[in-house]
Amino acid sequence: MNTKLTLTIEHSVIEKAKRYAKRKERSLSDLIESYLKALTSENEMNKTKESPIVQSLRGSFSMPRNFDYKEELAKNLSEKYLSK
């Protein structure tokens, strides 16, 4: 259930926030709600050492069982710095 909330915020901050929200194609209310959720879930983050955003992404990607990230990292760094 949504409840209306009245805040007193500096006018220039509100204008910047509105422009930011528009660029992100989100409402200002949605941005503030997301921020407050992240802020109040700080205790949970201290337990898991992951931000709420990282927690929400958990399980959205799966790697092959034989994936060697160290090998891939070395290969990509070699290509980046040695293949010029």
Side-chain angles (χ1 to χ4, degrees):
M1 176 178 89
N2 290 336
T3 303
K4 190 172 185 172
L5 171 68
T6 302
L7 301 171
T8 304
I9 302 173
E10 191 176 312
H11 181 72
S12 63
V13 173
I14 294 170
E15 292 305 313
K16 288 178 185 178
K18 283 181 178 179
R19 288 192 297 271
Y20 177 83
K22 188 173 184 177
R23 283 194 310 271
K24 297 294 181 179
E25 297 179 355
R26 295 176 68 186
S27 70
L28 188 53
S29 291
D30 184 43
L31 289 176
I32 293 169
E33 181 178 356
S34 294
Y35 175 72
L36 291 175
K37 283 179 180 177
L39 188 67
T40 57
S41 69
E42 188 175 296
N43 290 337
E44 289 180 25
M45 188 172 86
N46 288 338
K47 291 177 191 173
T48 64
K49 303 293 184 209
E50 295 176 346
S51 72
I53 293 172
V54 171
Q55 289 176 3
S56 72
L57 293 173
R58 182 173 291 285
S60 63
F61 173 78
S62 59
M63 295 186 300
R65 289 195 182 269
N66 61 350
F67 183 78
D68 183 355
Y69 79 92
K70 289 181 181 180
E71 182 181 318
E72 287 296 316
L73 178 61
K75 184 177 91 175
N76 286 317
L77 289 174
S78 294
E79 288 175 7
K80 181 177 182 179
Y81 292 108
L82 302 176
S83 299
K84 290 186 177 187

